[in-house]
Amino acid sequence: MAKRRFVESRFIQLAESFGFREIATPTFESLELFTAKSGPAIVRDLYAFKDQGGRDLALRPEFTASVLRFYVNDLRSLPKPIKVYNTGNVFRYEEPQKGRYREFFQLNAEIIGAAALPSDAEVLALAIGTMRAIGLKQVKARIGNIGILRSFLPFGPADQAVVLHSLDKRNFEMLESELARLGRKDLAEPLRRIVSLSGDASILDEAAGILGGAGAEGFRYLRELGNLLGAYGVSSSDYAFDMGVVRGLDYYTGMVFEIDSPNLGAEKQVGGGGAYSLAEVFGGERVAQTGFALGLDRLVMAAEAEGTFEPARPLDAYVIPIGEGTQTKAVEILTSLREAGLWADIDLIGRGPSKNLDYANAVGARFTVLLGDRELKAGLATVRDMASGAQREVALADLVDALRSR
Ligand code: AMP
């Protein structure tokens, strides 16, 4: 948990410092919330059940739907933009494996009601910045624009969705058969080529060439986004433009991204997000939205792999009462240390001094405070520096200062 809290707190600190505010949404929601967002097929990926009142419910598989429901019901009248984050467990009925669980944790942030370009840059800066704040050096964001592919596909929303889905899954057989069905087999070759393009801004020209004029606005958008990311201090080595980032779901409208931590192996994707349009699905008016979710479990694995965890804060003092009749006074001293803001613990078993020193050593306390009858009568404590073994007598009045210093 210390490792998980380390990662989570870095995200929370950064999000707060960017002006995002925390919200919490329920662990379960009506099933309809998720089918409205993602279609009926989502049910097989959910923990869905009926409650005793016969209502169809599901454990949340992600946060975005809940955030948008909350926005439409309660937050609509707040000044825009609305910048919110939340963290917690989510549930998906998946095949478990390393880095892929049925209960896992996400760090989620959304901006609702701002202009697309600046808010897309802001969420990317937060997502990439979080990885930096965790100390990760290996960060690879892949940024695409689903609007470009949509403008190249002269089909209605349902057919577009099938084609995008096959591209998302890199299922080229399915792509070709769908395009054949739609009478546009000629699009297979350029689509195949374009989704393999990944690199710096120069690939945008290459991609524009392949699409022969389609998506010009989307390419311009990505160039401007790159400039803004530079202004945020995001290094160009932290991201690539990648035409193959296809988040196939209908509600993604523009910029889409995924972030990898390259040394995690098969489950290397630590986050994803983009610009989407969902408020109207839940009964609100159309409003621009962008956001992301980072996978906490995978970030912890990445931080482990790169060795970025800071050592846990140790106990400042472990108090050892010695002999009969010292317990009460020892607890008073312990309490004064705690009130002074020190992290302090005390023997709760009544062990002898040498066993207690072993214990203090095992839990990593910086100092032990030995309190015998003779010392207490003289207003003194024996303080032992556990690293050096050096021991000295300290007046009780000076104890806090002595324990604060090294
Ligand atoms: P998604 O909501 O599918 O875009 O996922 C966002 C992030 O959550 C992914 O990039 C992963 O880091 C993480 N994630 C997704 N599914 C799982 C899972 N089954 N187990 C652990 N982490 C996951």
Side-chain angles (χ1 to χ4, degrees):
M1 280 310 295
K3 291 177 176 178
R4 299 172 74 87
R5 291 285 184 221
F6 168 87
V7 169
E8 185 187 50
S9 66
R10 295 300 153 108
F11 166 72
I12 290 175
Q13 276 165 22
L14 199 65
E16 296 268 352
S17 79
F18 275 40
F20 287 78
R21 294 176 65 192
E22 185 171 18
I23 59 169
T25 57
T27 312
F28 60 84
E29 299 268 9
S30 73
L31 175 62
E32 202 207 333
L33 185 76
F34 303 114
T35 52
K37 177 180 175 230
S38 307
I42 186 77
V43 176
R44 50 167 198 270
D45 300 327
L46 295 177
Y47 281 86
F49 55 97
K50 277 195 196 297
D51 74 359
Q52 295 190 34
R55 299 172 198 87
D56 286 307
L57 302 176
L59 299 182
R60 61 188 179 199
E62 46 108 34
F63 287 108
T64 305
S66 303
V67 175
L68 267 292
R69 177 188 53 69
F70 187 25
Y71 163 74
V72 170
N73 291 345
D74 298 289
L75 304 180
R76 252 197 286 188
S77 60
L78 292 184
K80 303 242 175 6
I82 290 168
K83 299 172 74 175
V84 290
Y85 71 91
N86 47 337
T87 64
N89 49 352
V90 297
F91 307 84
R92 293 183 194 172
Y93 198 76
E94 308 210 64
E95 262 334 297
Q97 52 180 288
K98 188 167 186 285
R100 181 172 292 277
Y101 314 113
R102 288 179 171 168
E103 177 179 10
F104 58 99
F105 283 69
Q106 287 191 333
L107 311 172
N108 189 80
E110 317 276 349
I111 301 180
I112 304 172
L117 181 65
S119 46
D120 284 348
E122 175 92 348
V123 296
L124 273 165
L126 177 59
I128 295 171
T130 297
M131 297 186 62
R132 287 289 181 210
I134 296 166
L136 297 174
K137 297 216 158 40
Q138 302 204 28
V139 176
K140 205 75 203 174
R142 292 174 281 113
I143 305 172
N145 186 337
I146 197 76
I148 293 174
L149 289 175
R150 288 196 195 282
S151 69
F152 186 64
L153 298 173
F155 313 124
D159 290 328
Q160 246 187 30
V162 195
V163 173
L164 290 176
H165 179 73
S166 63
L167 282 172
D168 188 14
K169 299 283 170 236
R170 297 292 188 281
N171 185 337
F172 294 121
E173 233 169 85
M174 178 177 161
L175 175 71
E176 285 188 15
S177 76
E178 288 302 329
L179 288 171
R181 175 179 67 80
L182 294 161
R184 290 305 303 265
K185 254 183 125 159
D186 57 307
L187 298 184
E189 170 61 17
L191 283 172
R192 246 177 197 271
R193 279 172 61 204
I194 195 162
V195 296
S196 71
L197 287 179
S198 179
D200 63 16
S202 68
I203 70 117
L204 299 178
D205 296 327
E206 203 178 323
I210 294 171
L211 297 190
E217 200 184 315
F219 289 118
R220 199 162 41 243
Y221 188 91
L222 287 181
R223 271 194 202 91
E224 285 173 26
L225 186 63
N227 289 340
L228 269 183
L229 289 179
Y232 272 101
V234 174
S235 154
S236 57
S237 62
D238 283 354
Y239 70 91
F241 291 112
D242 190 324
M243 294 298 106
V245 183
V246 184
R247 305 207 117 211
L249 294 167
D250 293 353
Y251 51 85
Y252 281 106
T253 51
M255 184 276 292
V256 281
F257 69 96
E258 288 168 351
I259 309 184
D260 294 337
S261 177
N263 53 19
L264 284 191
E267 303 302 326
K268 66 183 190 314
Q269 193 184 308
V270 294
Y276 59 95
S277 182
L278 266 180
E280 60 269 34
V281 175
F282 302 128
E285 67 281 5
R286 211 182 154 84
V287 58
Q289 296 135 53
T290 185
F292 66 83
L294 293 170
L296 175 69
D297 312 80
R298 292 187 192 170
L299 287 176
V300 170
M301 290 165 75
E304 256 161 3
E306 292 191 38
T308 74
F309 291 113
E310 284 170 7
R313 175 176 163 175
L315 270 184
D316 297 306
Y318 181 74
V319 177
I320 305 175
I322 301 169
E324 296 286 298
T326 53
Q327 179 77 12
T328 306
K329 184 68 188 164
V331 169
E332 280 172 21
I333 291 168
L334 168 79
T335 303
S336 69
L337 299 180
R338 287 177 174 170
E339 282 172 351
L342 293 168
W343 287 17
D345 195 6
I346 191 168
D347 171 37
L348 297 175
I349 294 187
R351 278 188 288 226
S354 86
K355 286 252 165 63
N356 261 324
L357 285 173
D358 290 346
Y359 178 77
N361 205 23
V363 298
R366 294 169 58 222
F367 293 100
T368 42
V369 177
L370 296 121
L371 299 170
D373 204 32
R374 180 192 59 79
E375 284 123 322
L376 284 176
K377 286 212 172 89
L380 296 171
T382 300
V383 172
R384 182 186 177 92
D385 182 326
M386 295 302 287
S388 67
Q391 218 163 279
R392 65 191 172 111
E393 292 202 321
V394 175
L396 289 177
D398 301 330
L399 189 55
V400 168
D401 287 341
L403 297 176
R404 277 213 177 105
S405 68
R406 184 73 232 185

